Each structure stands twice: as structure tokens, then as C-alpha cells.
Amino acid sequence: MAGYIIETAKGKWEVVVGLEIHCQIISKSKIFSGASTEFGDDPNTNVSFVDAGFPGMLPVLNEECVHQAVKTGLGLNAKINKYSEFSRKNYFYADMPTDYQITQFRYPIVGEGEIDIDLSDGATKKIGIERMHIEQDAGKSIHDLSPTKSYIDLNRAGVGLMEIVTKPDFRSPEEAGAFLRKLRSILRYLGTCDGNMDEGSMRCDVNVSVRPYGSDELRTRCEMKNVNSVKFVMQAIENEAKRHVEVYENGGTIAQETRQFDPTTGHTKVMRKKEFAHDYRYFPEPDLPPLVLDDDYINSVKAEMIELPDAKKHRFVETLGLTPYDAMVLCENKETADFFEKAASGHDAKKVANWMMGDFFAMLNKKRLDIAQSPVSAENLGALVELISKDVISGKIAKDVFEIMSETGKNPEQIVEEKGLKQVTDTKAIEAIIETVIASNADNVAAYKSGKTNLAGWFVGQVIKMSQGKANPAIVNKLVRERLDK
Ligand code: MN
């Protein structure tokens, strides 16, 4: 895509963005305790003594969380580190009773990787992953139930998190948005995180700086914490970058700080001066041994890997002839991709894709249904496309049939049979209709013969209309012209 450039009267600027994304691990119990991770339960009902920070309680690493993290690392095409270790990150916060977070610092479980993002012009770009580590989530402070008190819910305390840190590879809000969509799609395919940003199971910190266009320096960045939708991430980047440009152009400097994005104004305001790693007094967690994985284990997780969206997209383009854009949309979630493959099986895949991208998605949208609830089954959509391919019905009639399918769930053959919608390809029958139309429109026949040849299209339309849309358009077109030119 064309570069995203901020241009002012004084100069051109480029934005440099990196993301840190906290993803809640899908697992029945928390990362260091046996308490449930269920979202939405009554406050403080899923809290073990470990989560509550009782003295003497010891954490035990949940193997399922490790398994999910390794799977995710493989999904990010990243290096799985056979040696990793846990550290204590010390800080005081009311929703964290231990006053430290168990996280990974020097040795994360996942190293460098990369994923492709899909841009609006059909291009792709590689985004580097710096690392991914696992850690525990904090509880939740609730400030809006009382004007004078804050409440603490520890249900979330100790839920497993994967923190994915990207390289500063984004050069526009669009690229960051595309990355979050792709990451969410991969996590959902893998079943390692549900990716619901509005429920906080995927939370994004956004690091933004700007530099003169064409330069490769890295200037001071500011971090926006916990931005909770793709749209807000894009907005935060745009507005924060503009703020930096304004400060620089007025001779100021940017301080490294943590800022808060306000969705109602779209702007950011300062939360606190940025803390540095040494402020946290990281040290190796004495209650947990290092995490050591062997090749057998990593290979066994590799063997479980399913086809991910990029590989699927590639296959749809290469072997089924889909456009990259259609393939990308169809592969964004696994249910849709599976539905498509089932519908396309044995039929014209490109036509099936067109139907899904058009009438099918429009129908789901209108009825506000998930694909799993679709009244039109994959088999029936494939059968409908087959009827068109075999000239049993025209594309126009197919739209009516589809409408009935989406209301009744019936299969298209049955609808065509019941409603007598079979396309007329019998030339005798079509010729008879042509004669009727010609007999009752002598004036237009005369006009045609005197040179208004574009009236042929009008005759074709009349014939198809009189056949109630059932006459095969190609045949009508040929016969009408032959008859008029006779
Ligand atoms: Mn973290």
C-alpha cells in the first residue's frame, strides 16, 4: 500500500508502532492454581488461597497453559524455547494481593516469529514477533459501583496470560488493525484464546513514536495501555502520532510515558511517567523451577497443529482459483472456511465463493445470525450453484430460490420442482413466446427495422419477463436477434 505519511506545512512524518498484546489463555483452571477461569461468575467466587496471596501458598504450573502457549508459539511461526523461567515482577496494586506478578522476564517460553497481515489493497506484509511469555493476570478493580469506594474482584487474579510483543514493524494504523484481526483469527483457530477484546480476554498496549519520513531513527515512544477494540487501537495511533508531530514541530520533546486512550474523545492523556524494567525489581521466582521442554514434547504439539488461516488462504487461491481477497474473508474464521469447503465440494468453487461473499453473508447479516445458525446449509448452497452451472435455473431465478431457501431451509431442487422454476431451454417454447411479443409490438419491430437496433435488448427483456424469468437468457438473445433480422 501507499505509505501512511503525516504531512504538515513544515514536513513529512512517518509513524512507528509496536504492539504488546495480553491474551487470556483458554484453560479450565488458572495458571498457578486450581481455581476456575469462568468469566462472568459472581465476584470473588473463583479464588484459591494462591490467587488471594495467602502466606505460604505455593504456585503449581498448569500444564495445559504451557501446552496452549507452545501451540500459540507455533501458530506465530516462532521459536519455542526449551528453557524458560519465571520471575517476580514487583509492584503494588490493590487488585494484586501478592504485590508481585509471576511472569517471564529474561527467558520467555517463545522467541522470535512472524505472521503475515492482509492489507486492503490485497498486499500482504510480514510483521515480526519479538517474543511471547506467559504470566498471571491481576484481579479487577471496580471503580464505578460507588462514588467513594473501589471494589476488588479476584476471579481474574491468576488467570493465565500470553503476552505477545511485536517488533516495531507497523507504519500505519491500518497495519496495526490488520495484525490484531489476523492474530485474533489465529488464536481462535488454535483455540488458545477467544480473542474477545470487549470482554478483556485480548488487551492491546500500543507503543507509538514518529520520525521524519525516510529516516530510520527510533524516537521516544509513548505507550497507550489496554486499548480494547481494533478501531480504538487505530484511532489511538492516529491521534497520538499527530500529537508527537505537533510537539516536535513546535520545538518540544516527547517524554516516555504511559498514556490512556479515551474512546469518547479519541485522544490520549498522560497516566504516569513510564516506569523502567529496573523499577520492578525482577528476580527469579523462588517457588517455581525453570520450565524445561524437550523435543518430543514440542514435536507432539506440532503434530496437533491444524491448517491455519494463511495456509488455508493460500490453498484456496492456488488450488480453488479464488481471489486473494475472497480467500482472506472466507478464511478469517474457521467455521466460515469449513462451511465454504463443504459447499464448494464437487461444485464450482469460485461461484460458491461469489454466493457466499454476496447473498449469503448479506442474508446472515440481515437475520443477525452466526454461520452456525444459517438456515441455508452448506450442502444446499452447493446444490444451488450446481443448478446454475447445469443451466437448470438462471442466475436471476437462483436469487429467488435462495430467498426461499433462507426462509424455509428447504433444498433448492425441491423448491425449483415445487414452484416450477426450471429454466426453459427448449427453443420451440421460447420461439412461441417471441412470436407473441413480436405480434403485439409491431411499432417497435418497425423501429428496429428502421435502424434502432438497440431495441433488441428490449425484446429480450420482454420475452424473459413473459417466461416469468425462466427462459434461458443466452438462447433468448440468440433467437430474438435471428427473428428480428429475418
Ligand atoms: Mn504483562
Side-chain angles (χ1 to χ4, degrees), residues 306-426:
I306 55 163
E307 186 182 44
L308 291 177
D310 282 336
K312 214 180 266 295
K313 175 187 158 195
H314 192 72
R315 180 166 60 82
F316 285 2
V317 171
E318 295 301 314
T319 67
L320 300 178
L322 266 52
T323 64
Y325 178 77
D326 286 3
M328 177 197 72
V329 173
L330 293 172
C331 291
E332 192 164 332
N333 75 68
K334 190 167 176 300
E335 293 71 28
T336 305
D338 288 348
F339 187 101
F340 164 73
E341 281 209 88
K342 210 167 176 189
S345 162
H347 309 298
D348 183 331
K350 251 182 99 86
K351 272 191 191 148
V352 172
N354 286 340
W355 270 88
M356 283 192 69
M357 301 288 291
D359 296 53
F360 182 77
F361 284 152
M363 178 274 292
L364 291 182
N365 236 335
K366 202 171 131 204
K367 293 182 184 284
R368 295 175 183 280
L369 294 176
D370 284 341
I371 197 155
Q373 306 163 305
S374 169
V376 177
S377 70
E379 290 84 353
N380 284 346
L381 185 64
L384 178 69
V385 168
E386 196 60 28
L387 291 178
I388 308 164
S389 299
K390 286 192 170 145
D391 277 334
V392 177
I393 55 174
S394 67
K396 194 170 170 296
I397 291 280
K399 284 187 176 282
D400 299 337
V401 175
F402 181 79
E403 180 77 30
I404 300 169
M405 289 164 74
S406 66
E407 291 309 322
T408 64
K410 283 186 184 168
N411 75 56
E413 292 94 342
Q414 190 188 349
I415 294 166
V416 167
E417 200 57 48
E418 282 174 7
K419 306 254 169 195
L421 295 173
K422 269 198 184 121
Q423 182 159 253
V424 179
T425 50
D426 170 5

Side-chain angles (χ1 to χ4, degrees), residues 7 46 66 79-80 87 97 99 111 146 157 163 171 181 216 218 223 231 244 303-304 308 330 345 353 420 458 472 481:
E7 201 166 354
N46 298 326
V66 174
K79 181 172 180 284
I80 307 300
S87 292
D99 289 345
S146 154
E163 181 176 338
R171 295 291 171 271
R181 282 193 297 272
D216 56 6
L218 287 176
E223 180 176 32
K231 197 179 113 199
H244 286 215
E304 287 172 34
L308 291 177
L330 293 172
S345 162
W458 181 84
N472 177 297
R481 278 164 211 276

Side-chain angles (χ1 to χ4, degrees), residues 130-356:
E130 179 69 35
R131 60 181 272 163
M132 186 190 93
H133 63 258
I134 49 178
E135 60 187 22
Q136 55 183 177
D137 207 345
K140 214 174 188 170
S141 302
I142 301 154
H143 304 295
D144 54 4
L145 288 180
S146 154
T148 54
K149 291 175 185 156
S150 285
Y151 291 87
I152 305 290
D153 177 6
L154 293 179
N155 281 355
R156 201 179 67 181
V159 169
L161 293 175
M162 302 178 281
E163 181 176 338
I164 297 165
V165 182
T166 76
K167 295 190 185 284
D169 284 351
F170 305 101
R171 295 291 171 271
S172 69
E174 187 206 349
E175 290 178 5
F179 177 84
L180 289 171
R181 282 193 297 272
K182 177 55 73 67
L183 176 64
R184 185 167 57 193
S185 165
I186 292 171
L187 295 169
R188 286 178 176 167
Y189 265 70
L190 293 170
T192 57
C193 169
D194 67 29
N196 294 333
M197 290 186 87
D198 51 346
E199 286 180 2
S201 46
M202 188 168 131
R203 310 192 285 268
C204 187
D205 302 342
V206 190
N207 286 291
V208 177
S209 67
V210 300
R211 64 186 174 198
Y213 185 72
S215 110
D216 56 6
E217 65 181 307
L218 287 176
R219 294 199 175 188
T220 306
R221 61 195 157 94
C222 289
E223 180 176 32
M224 269 78 61
K225 284 272 185 204
N226 291 334
V227 186
N228 68 357
S229 81
V230 173
K231 197 179 113 199
F232 292 155
V233 167
M234 293 169 69
Q235 234 174 53
I237 293 169
E238 190 170 341
N239 292 329
E240 181 64 8
K242 282 185 187 147
R243 186 183 72 84
H244 286 215
V245 168
E246 217 177 289
V247 168
Y248 287 134
E249 289 191 341
N250 290 314
T253 51
I254 292 288
Q256 184 170 337
E257 57 196 11
T258 301
R259 301 178 66 87
Q260 193 167 27
F261 173 74
D262 180 353
T264 51
T265 63
H267 290 280
T268 65
K269 61 173 191 280
V270 67
M271 270 169 80
R272 56 176 187 258
K273 293 289 166 203
K274 174 71 184 176
E275 56 291 303
F276 294 89
H278 59 252
D279 295 331
Y280 291 115
R281 295 288 185 264
Y282 281 98
F283 65 86
E285 167 60 55
D287 291 339
L288 286 166
L291 174 57
V292 180
L293 307 174
D294 60 21
D295 287 323
D296 282 353
Y297 178 79
I298 296 169
N299 287 334
S300 74
V301 182
K302 264 185 198 159
E304 287 172 34
M305 294 295 283
I306 55 163
E307 186 182 44
L308 291 177
D310 282 336
K312 214 180 266 295
K313 175 187 158 195
H314 192 72
R315 180 166 60 82
F316 285 2
V317 171
E318 295 301 314
T319 67
L320 300 178
L322 266 52
T323 64
Y325 178 77
D326 286 3
M328 177 197 72
V329 173
L330 293 172
C331 291
E332 192 164 332
N333 75 68
K334 190 167 176 300
E335 293 71 28
T336 305
D338 288 348
F339 187 101
F340 164 73
E341 281 209 88
K342 210 167 176 189
S345 162
H347 309 298
D348 183 331
K350 251 182 99 86
K351 272 191 191 148
V352 172
N354 286 340
W355 270 88
M356 283 192 69

